[in-house]
Amino acid sequence: MEREVDIPELIDLLKLAEQSFTGDLLEGVSLYNPSIDEEYRPFSVEKGVAQFTDLKGRSRSVPFSAMGLWSAVIPANSILNSPELLSHTKAGKRQELVSEINLLHLPSGHTQSYEDLQAILDAWKTPIFSTLLDFRRHVYRSIKKLENEPGLVPASYRLGFMIMERWLQQPLDRSPPDYLIQLAYYRRWTKQTSSALEVTALIERRDAQNLFNKFEIAVLNSP
């Protein structure tokens, strides 16, 4: 099955392949320009510049740096689809993280970076008392990104609920205030209303509003 990759991943694959393979690394590979819906093959690469003939027969030279929205289509039998290459690229490592996260029955999305997915996996494996505030805020942002993907808003709520409940410790009033606000938010959006109100009441009793940043206050005040 052919695979479509962005240009940065193509560059990574070519750099890795050049260290281990010989021959035509671009055999069967094509470039795709989505702005005009054209595909070019064959093409060559020299010093970061792709050279090819367009559909009108004109020779073209386009730097990779100018291919912001372009992609490359790699056939299934290409050297660039070798498992030993893919496991060393950032995209390949990201896919390994996605697989590991999915095995835990945790949802993931395309907008989450490798670092986001690693934070979510680490959050699942790490008790809250072993985490720092900056790490927890990265986790919150990584979960929230799913809300920006069509159709994944419920998955975002489910992921947030699963991680916040996993972090749950007793007594609850000893939990960090930033965590409490996220716990209340995800309980509320997963229809755990009475449990959410319990946390909200605790926050109000502690008068902890001054401990939250603007993002956290917005979460608390969301409907």
Side-chain angles (χ1 to χ4, degrees):
M1 182 176 180
E2 66 180 20
R3 191 167 63 94
E4 186 172 355
V5 303
D6 59 23
I7 297 303
E9 184 178 354
L10 174 65
I11 294 171
D12 288 345
L13 286 169
L14 287 173
K15 287 179 179 177
L16 289 168
E18 287 169 354
Q19 299 172 17
S20 307
F21 298 94
T22 58
D24 184 4
L25 302 179
L26 294 173
E27 183 178 359
V29 180
S30 60
L31 290 173
Y32 176 64
N33 181 357
S35 63
I36 55 175
D37 191 27
E38 287 188 358
E39 194 169 331
Y40 311 113
R41 185 178 61 189
F43 70 98
S44 61
V45 176
E46 185 175 351
K47 295 181 180 179
V49 177
Q51 299 172 338
F52 55 89
T53 300
D54 66 17
L55 301 187
K56 294 182 179 180
R58 298 172 300 188
S59 296
R60 298 278 307 278
S61 295
V62 182
F64 278 149
S65 58
M67 293 182 169
L69 298 177
W70 291 45
S71 60
V73 181
I74 303 175
N77 61 351
S78 171
I79 291 173
L80 300 183
N81 267 330
S82 302
E84 56 266 41
L85 289 183
L86 297 179
S87 64
H88 288 87
T89 66
K90 196 164 188 177
K93 292 177 181 178
R94 183 188 182 281
Q95 187 56 49
E96 290 178 359
L97 276 181
V98 169
S99 299
E100 188 172 355
I101 286 171
N102 291 344
L103 283 174
L104 296 170
H105 304 290
L106 301 173
S108 60
H110 297 294
T111 57
Q112 294 168 314
S113 66
Y114 173 87
E115 291 75 16
D116 294 334
L117 294 170
Q118 186 65 64
I120 288 170
L121 188 60
D122 290 343
W124 188 255
K125 296 178 177 180
T126 308
I128 192 170
F129 57 77
S130 297
T131 65
L132 299 175
L133 177 59
D134 284 348
F135 169 75
R136 293 195 300 273
R137 285 180 172 165
H138 185 186
V139 172
Y140 305 151
R141 290 192 300 270
S142 301
I143 297 170
K144 196 82 173 164
K145 280 186 178 181
L146 286 182
E147 293 186 29
N148 297 325
E149 293 194 46
L152 288 184
V153 173
S156 175
Y157 297 154
R158 182 163 61 90
L159 176 61
F161 177 78
M162 293 172 73
I163 291 181
M164 296 312 120
E165 293 296 327
R166 191 171 180 86
W167 273 355
L168 187 63
Q169 64 178 21
Q170 299 294 339
L172 192 58
D173 61 4
R174 293 186 181 178
S175 299
D178 60 280
Y179 162 74
L180 290 176
I181 209 163
Q182 299 292 325
L183 178 63
Y185 177 80
Y186 287 111
R187 282 182 173 181
R188 183 162 66 247
W189 281 105
T190 51
K191 311 302 183 184
Q192 312 293 322
T193 307
S194 59
S195 298
L197 290 173
E198 174 191 354
V199 181
T200 302
L202 174 60
I203 292 170
E204 292 172 348
R205 287 199 304 272
R206 288 172 59 172
D207 192 25
Q209 288 266 5
N210 62 324
L211 298 179
F212 301 142
N213 62 25
K214 291 181 180 179
F215 167 73
E216 290 160 345
I217 292 173
V219 170
L220 179 62
N221 293 330
S222 62

